[in-house]
Amino acid sequence: MISGGPGSGKTTLLSEFAKLGYTTAPEVARSIIQEQVQSGGRALPWADKEAYTRLMLQRSVESYLQYVNLPGPIFSDRGIPDTLAYARLIGLADEAAIVEACQKYRYAPLVFLAPPWREIYTNDDERKQDFAEAARTFIQMTAVYLECGYETIEVPKASPSARAEFVLRAVGY
């Protein structure tokens, strides 16, 4: 699992794993945003945040089920606990279904967190948060993964290949 705040190089790191021949599970949140914008939907983090959260949970579980039985390792760009962190960031009142999913669908015990990195942070059509919000998101992600019983390790701020090498060494590859 590779997680962290927006704009911290997670997707670039996953691309590096793909180049090395590893299976990667893409981030569901970005694809949801793209689909909703394209279709004129409102399940967006800047429109209907609750609908966006429900869709993010549904797609995260679907992604988990799609990849869980494949031969590993599989590197995932975010996971189900990210939905819980987002729900808490927006103050969602009912998070019971998300907590249940976090308990039911478990990833490898070691989660890699990409820290906020101002030098590479940029906004785009799907990422509208400012850097301060990205930093708050990282703090919330860290707390949620620890609460869910995962061990977390921060990925160093380095080139994509150095980051991939760091992760691979940490998991014994």
Side-chain angles (χ1 to χ4, degrees):
M1 175 63 53
I2 311 294
S3 188
S8 57
K10 296 176 303 298
T11 303
T12 301
L13 177 54
L14 271 282
S15 295
E16 191 68 25
F17 288 129
K19 282 191 241 173
L20 294 171
Y22 292 99
T23 301
T24 61
E27 178 184 11
V28 300
R30 186 171 283 264
S31 65
I32 291 167
I33 292 170
Q34 290 167 346
E35 291 167 10
Q36 290 294 304
V37 167
Q38 200 168 52
S39 70
R42 298 220 10 99
L44 293 161
W46 53 85
D48 187 341
K49 293 178 180 186
E50 289 188 25
Y52 173 71
T53 305
R54 286 190 303 273
L55 197 50
M56 194 164 48
L57 176 59
Q58 175 192 331
R59 295 279 184 84
S60 294
V61 169
E62 289 169 359
S63 177
Y64 175 91
L65 295 172
Q66 177 183 350
Y67 289 94
V68 68
N69 291 319
L70 296 179
I74 296 156
F75 294 98
S76 181
D77 192 340
R78 300 195 178 276
I80 297 166
D82 287 69
T83 306
L84 180 58
Y86 178 73
R88 290 185 177 166
L89 283 167
I90 65 167
L92 188 67
D94 183 12
E95 59 184 46
I98 305 169
V99 170
E100 183 181 323
C102 288
Q103 293 167 347
K104 182 176 181 179
Y105 304 108
R106 303 294 296 174
Y107 300 91
L110 183 59
V111 172
F112 295 90
L113 297 173
W117 191 354
R118 188 178 298 277
E119 290 77 13
I120 67 168
Y121 187 84
T122 59
N123 293 100
D124 58 29
D125 290 340
E126 293 89 30
R127 184 185 307 125
K128 298 183 184 293
Q129 306 96 326
D130 63 18
F131 184 76
E133 187 174 345
R136 285 191 303 276
T137 301
F138 174 77
I139 292 166
Q140 186 67 59
M141 294 290 176
T142 302
V144 164
Y145 274 98
L146 290 171
E147 177 187 325
C148 289
Y150 292 96
E151 178 184 349
T152 62
I153 187 167
E154 197 169 300
V155 179
K157 295 175 182 176
S159 69
S161 60
R163 291 178 124 196
E165 184 179 321
F166 173 85
V167 171
L168 291 170
R169 269 196 325 266
V171 296
Y173 283 90

